[in-house]
Amino acid sequence: MDSSFEIIKTKEDSCQLNTYKKLPLSIERGQGVYVYDSGGKKYLDLYGGHAVALTGHCHPAVVKAVRDQVEKLIFYSNVVYSSVRADASAALIDVAPSGMDKVFFCNSGSESNETAMKIGRKFTGKKKIVAMKGGFHGRTMGSLSATGLGNYRNQFSPVIDGYVFVEFGNIKELKSSLDDDAGAVILEPIQSMAGVEVAEDEYYEKLRAICTERDVVLIFDEVQTGLGRTGSWFFGDRHAVVPDIITLAKGIGGGIPVGGVIIHEKISRTIGPGEHGSTFGGGPVASAAVLANINVIKDEGLVQNAREAGDYIKRELSSVSTVRKVKGRGLLLGIEIESEAVKLRDFLLGRGIITGTSSNKNILRLLPPLTLKSREIDMFIEALKDY
Ligand SMILES: Cc1ncc(COP(=O)(O)O)c(C=O)c1O
């Protein structure tokens, strides 16, 4: 281990609130699917900086857009118009499912979900929100109230009133929860942190139909699945399932903190001036990053690459004896192994490959940049075979 890392670690540990279990390395530089630590060691980043580096680390087009914007105007709020915010909003709507015609920008996934649930309650006038066991939606009080995974929520009770939890993938349970008080359903279409759980195809279609039938707002938390990661721009695209609200964050700003909510036309008129807001949301630098990032995804065909690379990984993993099963779509994958995934993650780290774990101790999680190529996948498979 390089000595500069020890100095960085000691300093950070002594000053920072102890809320993260960190990997023993300090990442100082990144380019594409690779990052470099304080000692200059190179790593293949299959964790994508926590699912954030959608177009790779420091994509030159994103870097240029941010740099140009910083030189012109770092910030002005939503109290004035902004050409770059207008362009970023239009670019997001352009790739969104048809009928979704308004965007609200904020700064994180938790805030996106707060926004969606507020709009859901306002639109229906109903308080009850149905969420999923195993779902993760963030750490702020509202998003935490909707989080059904592990112990994130319970230790901070009382949380916000009105949330009920049903089993993900179980349409019967969902139906019986949708009484006259239910205003919204929120779910991750793929439960990532729970271990990359995907429901049966027909679940999503039935879910859409029942929400329409009972006038309930359907919210897809696409903080991890959105903008191409699963091999389509948005999760529902492949099923022709269009939710009423999509929430986004992580990769949409190419690494600049951005959250966003895309809202269906039938709901968007619910909210008027003063009823919701965010000082920094949709700021010029964040908007420049979103615009450049979306253009890169389009220009480089990254949605298709995510699908093809994901299929390639699945094919290659079928011949690896330690692998029991591979779950997920595109480049959001959960690799199930017999032993503890954390040990495999540490082994791979030693081989210069960063991967993730989840709340399921047997699942190794991959959330790499959508620019991932077969030669990098081959490196990962070779390392896995040596485990
Ligand atoms: C599916 C999902 N929703 C919401 C969040 C919360 O996002 P943030 O940490 O940006 O608030 C996360 C973060 O991991 C997430 O994975």
Side-chain angles (χ1 to χ4, degrees), residues 28 74 79 102 115 163 176-177 186 263 285 305 324 345 375 377-378:
E28 302 294 331
I74 295 180
V79 81
K102 288 283 188 293
T115 305
Y163 287 81
S176 54
S177 73
I186 183 165
I263 303 149
V285 178
N305 190 63
R324 263 202 243 160
R345 182 202 65 187
R375 66 174 175 276
I377 297 170
D378 293 342

Short mmCIF file of all heavy atoms in Angstrom, two decimals, residues 28 74 79 102 115 163 176-177 186 263 285 305 324 345 375 377-378:
data_model
loop_
_atom_site.label_atom_id
_atom_site.label_comp_id
_atom_site.label_asym_id
_atom_site.label_seq_id
_atom_site.Cartn_x
_atom_site.Cartn_y
_atom_site.Cartn_z
N GLU A 28 -8.00 9.17 -7.23
CA GLU A 28 -7.59 10.55 -7.49
C GLU A 28 -7.80 11.00 -8.93
O GLU A 28 -7.76 12.18 -9.23
CB GLU A 28 -6.10 10.71 -7.13
CG GLU A 28 -5.77 10.35 -5.69
CD GLU A 28 -6.40 11.29 -4.66
OE1 GLU A 28 -6.62 12.47 -4.98
OE2 GLU A 28 -6.69 10.82 -3.53
N ILE A 74 -21.32 30.34 -13.33
CA ILE A 74 -21.39 29.14 -12.47
C ILE A 74 -22.82 28.93 -11.98
O ILE A 74 -23.33 27.83 -12.02
CB ILE A 74 -20.40 29.25 -11.29
CG1 ILE A 74 -18.96 29.26 -11.82
CG2 ILE A 74 -20.59 28.08 -10.31
CD1 ILE A 74 -17.89 29.38 -10.75
N VAL A 79 -35.07 31.46 -10.64
CA VAL A 79 -35.83 32.71 -10.64
C VAL A 79 -35.65 33.45 -11.98
O VAL A 79 -36.38 34.37 -12.30
CB VAL A 79 -35.42 33.56 -9.40
CG1 VAL A 79 -34.16 34.34 -9.62
CG2 VAL A 79 -36.55 34.47 -8.96
N LYS A 102 -42.74 17.06 -18.91
CA LYS A 102 -42.16 18.09 -18.04
C LYS A 102 -41.04 17.51 -17.19
O LYS A 102 -41.09 16.32 -16.80
CB LYS A 102 -43.23 18.66 -17.10
CG LYS A 102 -44.26 19.54 -17.77
CD LYS A 102 -43.72 20.93 -18.09
CE LYS A 102 -44.81 21.86 -18.58
NZ LYS A 102 -45.36 21.49 -19.90
N THR A 115 -39.69 14.66 -4.43
CA THR A 115 -40.46 15.45 -5.39
C THR A 115 -41.62 14.63 -5.96
O THR A 115 -42.76 15.08 -6.01
CB THR A 115 -39.54 15.92 -6.55
OG1 THR A 115 -38.44 16.61 -5.99
CG2 THR A 115 -40.27 16.80 -7.54
N TYR A 163 -47.15 5.22 4.71
CA TYR A 163 -46.48 4.28 3.81
C TYR A 163 -46.84 2.84 4.16
O TYR A 163 -46.84 2.48 5.34
CB TYR A 163 -44.95 4.45 3.88
CG TYR A 163 -44.50 5.72 3.20
CD1 TYR A 163 -44.58 6.95 3.85
CD2 TYR A 163 -44.04 5.70 1.89
CE1 TYR A 163 -44.20 8.13 3.22
CE2 TYR A 163 -43.66 6.88 1.26
CZ TYR A 163 -43.73 8.07 1.93
OH TYR A 163 -43.35 9.23 1.29
N SER A 176 -54.43 -5.69 -3.35
CA SER A 176 -55.18 -5.56 -2.09
C SER A 176 -54.73 -4.34 -1.28
O SER A 176 -55.46 -3.88 -0.42
CB SER A 176 -55.16 -6.85 -1.27
OG SER A 176 -53.83 -7.23 -1.09
N SER A 177 -53.55 -3.80 -1.59
CA SER A 177 -53.10 -2.60 -0.87
C SER A 177 -53.70 -1.31 -1.46
O SER A 177 -53.66 -0.26 -0.85
CB SER A 177 -51.57 -2.51 -0.90
OG SER A 177 -51.15 -2.15 -2.20
N ILE A 186 -44.65 3.49 -5.45
CA ILE A 186 -43.26 3.79 -5.84
C ILE A 186 -42.44 2.51 -5.80
O ILE A 186 -42.57 1.70 -4.88
CB ILE A 186 -42.63 4.88 -4.93
CG1 ILE A 186 -41.20 5.22 -5.41
CG2 ILE A 186 -42.63 4.50 -3.45
CD1 ILE A 186 -40.63 6.51 -4.83
N ILE A 263 -42.14 14.02 -15.66
CA ILE A 263 -43.53 13.93 -15.23
C ILE A 263 -44.47 13.83 -16.43
O ILE A 263 -44.30 14.55 -17.42
CB ILE A 263 -43.88 15.17 -14.38
CG1 ILE A 263 -42.91 15.25 -13.19
CG2 ILE A 263 -45.32 15.12 -13.87
CD1 ILE A 263 -42.63 16.66 -12.76
N VAL A 285 -24.26 24.81 -14.50
CA VAL A 285 -23.19 23.81 -14.65
C VAL A 285 -23.80 22.41 -14.70
O VAL A 285 -23.44 21.58 -15.56
CB VAL A 285 -22.16 23.93 -13.50
CG1 VAL A 285 -21.09 22.86 -13.62
CG2 VAL A 285 -21.51 25.32 -13.50
N ASN A 305 -24.93 -0.32 -26.60
CA ASN A 305 -23.73 -0.95 -26.04
C ASN A 305 -24.01 -1.58 -24.68
O ASN A 305 -23.50 -2.65 -24.37
CB ASN A 305 -22.57 0.05 -25.93
CG ASN A 305 -21.27 -0.66 -25.60
OD1 ASN A 305 -20.79 -1.48 -26.39
ND2 ASN A 305 -20.73 -0.41 -24.42
N ARG A 324 -23.41 -18.95 -9.82
CA ARG A 324 -24.65 -19.73 -9.75
C ARG A 324 -25.69 -19.19 -10.73
O ARG A 324 -26.41 -19.93 -11.37
CB ARG A 324 -25.24 -19.59 -8.34
CG ARG A 324 -24.90 -20.74 -7.43
CD ARG A 324 -25.92 -20.78 -6.30
NE ARG A 324 -25.28 -20.55 -5.02
CZ ARG A 324 -25.91 -20.15 -3.92
NH1 ARG A 324 -27.18 -19.89 -3.94
NH2 ARG A 324 -25.27 -19.99 -2.79
N ARG A 345 -15.23 -9.59 -3.99
CA ARG A 345 -14.96 -8.17 -4.29
C ARG A 345 -13.54 -7.80 -3.88
O ARG A 345 -12.82 -7.13 -4.63
CB ARG A 345 -15.96 -7.29 -3.54
CG ARG A 345 -15.77 -5.81 -3.83
CD ARG A 345 -16.35 -4.93 -2.77
NE ARG A 345 -15.67 -5.10 -1.49
CZ ARG A 345 -16.05 -4.55 -0.34
NH1 ARG A 345 -17.13 -3.82 -0.31
NH2 ARG A 345 -15.36 -4.73 0.77
N ARG A 375 -13.05 -6.19 -24.37
CA ARG A 375 -11.71 -6.49 -23.85
C ARG A 375 -11.66 -6.30 -22.32
O ARG A 375 -10.98 -7.05 -21.61
CB ARG A 375 -10.61 -5.69 -24.55
CG ARG A 375 -10.65 -4.21 -24.31
CD ARG A 375 -9.44 -3.48 -24.92
NE ARG A 375 -9.60 -2.06 -24.77
CZ ARG A 375 -10.30 -1.28 -25.58
NH1 ARG A 375 -10.89 -1.79 -26.64
NH2 ARG A 375 -10.43 0.00 -25.35
N ILE A 377 -14.32 -6.63 -20.37
CA ILE A 377 -15.14 -7.72 -19.82
C ILE A 377 -14.27 -8.98 -19.74
O ILE A 377 -14.31 -9.72 -18.75
CB ILE A 377 -16.39 -7.96 -20.70
CG1 ILE A 377 -17.27 -6.71 -20.68
CG2 ILE A 377 -17.17 -9.20 -20.22
CD1 ILE A 377 -18.41 -6.70 -21.67
N ASP A 378 -13.46 -9.22 -20.76
CA ASP A 378 -12.58 -10.41 -20.77
C ASP A 378 -11.61 -10.38 -19.59
O ASP A 378 -11.33 -11.42 -18.98
CB ASP A 378 -11.80 -10.50 -22.09
CG ASP A 378 -12.72 -10.77 -23.27
OD1 ASP A 378 -13.86 -11.21 -23.04
OD2 ASP A 378 -12.31 -10.53 -24.43
#
